[in-house]
Amino acid sequence: MTSPSLAEGPDTQISQPDALTYWNSVPATVNGMLGGYSHISRIDIRCSLNFLEKLRRLRPSTIPGPWTRGVDCGAGIGRVTAGVLSKVCDIVDVVEPVEKMAREVRKRKLDGEGTVGEVYVAGLQNWEPSEEYDLIWNQWCLGHLTDTELVRYLKRCKATIKEGGWIVVKENINTGLEGNDLFDEVDSSVTRADGKFRKLFEGSGLKIVKTEVQTGFPKKLFPVRFYALQPGLDPLGHPL
């Protein structure tokens, strides 16, 4: 499958050096990670665990056992690593481009029985997975990748996901009337529209198996949507 036509858009304004400068200026705390909205962390984690439980029920009976290895991409200080992924995976690797944030991950007490594995201090646009994963989690980080970088990144993820595994994307969605992506010059990121995400997933050879909207967040925030992705198949049943 060919990639979608990625016309020049707001994502071309993304500067990863500018984004790193911004995140290095943010306190390495839950409140810092959530832009002053630390009070949403509990409902965020609860809804993420509920979503993963729904995915577990979709796991084929021919693929028994727990999720052995997951990875938290754009992990920050490991809030999701500790509160979500350590409860569902035996080992959780971490990818985080800001070194001071990555250092905090190993200091955090995990809420589950899983352990932290490898910690990669790298941007997602440069990260080359060296393990196979049952679960690849992406939350509030893909807006720092251009459309082209995101397609390339998702293709690398697709190549390393185990049979029956999941790539989960949990991101803000721009629901403006024009349906366009929105560039934020503060942290040098884009908030994509649902239609753009779907186009990029298709261009990456991924199919959406399940999607739903996060509930319980303040109305003034962007809506947040979950996407559970798996490799798509061509008409002959071969992976795309």
Side-chain angles (χ1 to χ4, degrees):
M1 174 182 257
T2 59
S3 297
S5 174
L6 304 178
E8 184 171 316
D11 67 295
T12 61
Q13 300 178 68
I14 291 171
S15 164
Q16 272 114 25
D18 288 351
L20 285 173
T21 297
Y22 169 79
W23 284 109
N24 271 299
S25 73
V26 169
T29 63
V30 171
N31 203 47
M33 295 296 92
L34 297 180
Y37 289 90
S38 58
H39 58 283
I40 71 171
S41 185
R42 182 175 297 180
I43 185 66
D44 170 67
I45 285 172
R46 184 163 73 240
C47 286
S48 293
L49 287 169
N50 289 342
F51 187 74
L52 288 175
E53 181 56 33
K54 293 172 186 176
L55 297 188
R56 279 189 178 279
R57 296 175 194 153
L58 297 176
R59 191 178 177 94
S61 58
T62 54
I63 309 175
W67 288 333
T68 304
R69 198 175 199 108
V71 58
D72 188 0
C73 297
I77 62 173
R79 183 185 65 89
V80 173
T81 301
V84 179
L85 302 187
S86 72
K87 292 183 175 181
V88 299
C89 299
D90 294 338
I91 300 171
V92 184
D93 292 343
V94 164
V95 185
E96 169 53 45
V98 181
E99 188 170 357
K100 74 171 186 178
M101 306 296 185
R103 287 198 300 267
E104 294 296 314
V105 175
R106 291 199 181 276
K107 299 178 185 178
R108 290 186 71 84
K109 182 180 182 298
L110 303 182
D111 296 342
E113 296 182 359
T115 60
V116 173
E118 300 294 329
V119 176
Y120 302 98
V121 181
L124 299 185
Q125 72 278 8
N126 298 319
W127 181 56
E128 297 282 349
S130 58
E131 302 281 351
E132 291 188 333
Y133 292 106
D134 298 287
L135 177 62
I136 300 177
W137 187 271
N138 307 270
Q139 181 171 351
W140 291 327
C141 59
L142 300 184
H144 290 296
L145 302 184
T146 67
D147 290 353
T148 299
E149 288 171 336
L150 180 50
V151 168
R152 290 172 180 166
Y153 165 71
L154 290 173
K155 285 182 176 180
R156 294 197 299 273
C157 290
K158 181 182 67 172
T160 195
I161 202 74
K162 292 181 182 178
E163 182 182 1
W166 299 96
I167 299 169
V168 174
V169 170
K170 184 176 183 180
E171 290 284 349
N172 291 348
I173 301 295
N174 183 25
T175 55
L177 294 177
E178 296 182 358
N180 297 326
D181 299 346
L182 184 65
F183 178 71
D184 185 344
E185 64 181 13
V186 174
D187 66 353
S188 194
S189 69
V190 292
T191 301
R192 292 182 168 92
D194 175 64
K196 169 59 75 63
F197 272 120
R198 292 173 183 268
K199 184 176 182 180
L200 298 177
F201 297 154
E202 181 181 5
S204 305
L206 294 166
K207 63 180 179 180
I208 300 172
V209 179
K210 187 172 185 59
T211 182
E212 61 184 49
V213 175
Q214 164 82 37
T215 59
F217 279 4
K219 299 285 187 188
K220 61 184 176 181
L221 299 181
F222 281 113
V224 174
R225 180 172 285 276
F226 294 90
Y227 302 91
L229 310 170
Q230 289 184 326
L233 301 175
D234 68 17
L236 298 179
H238 301 132
L240 293 170

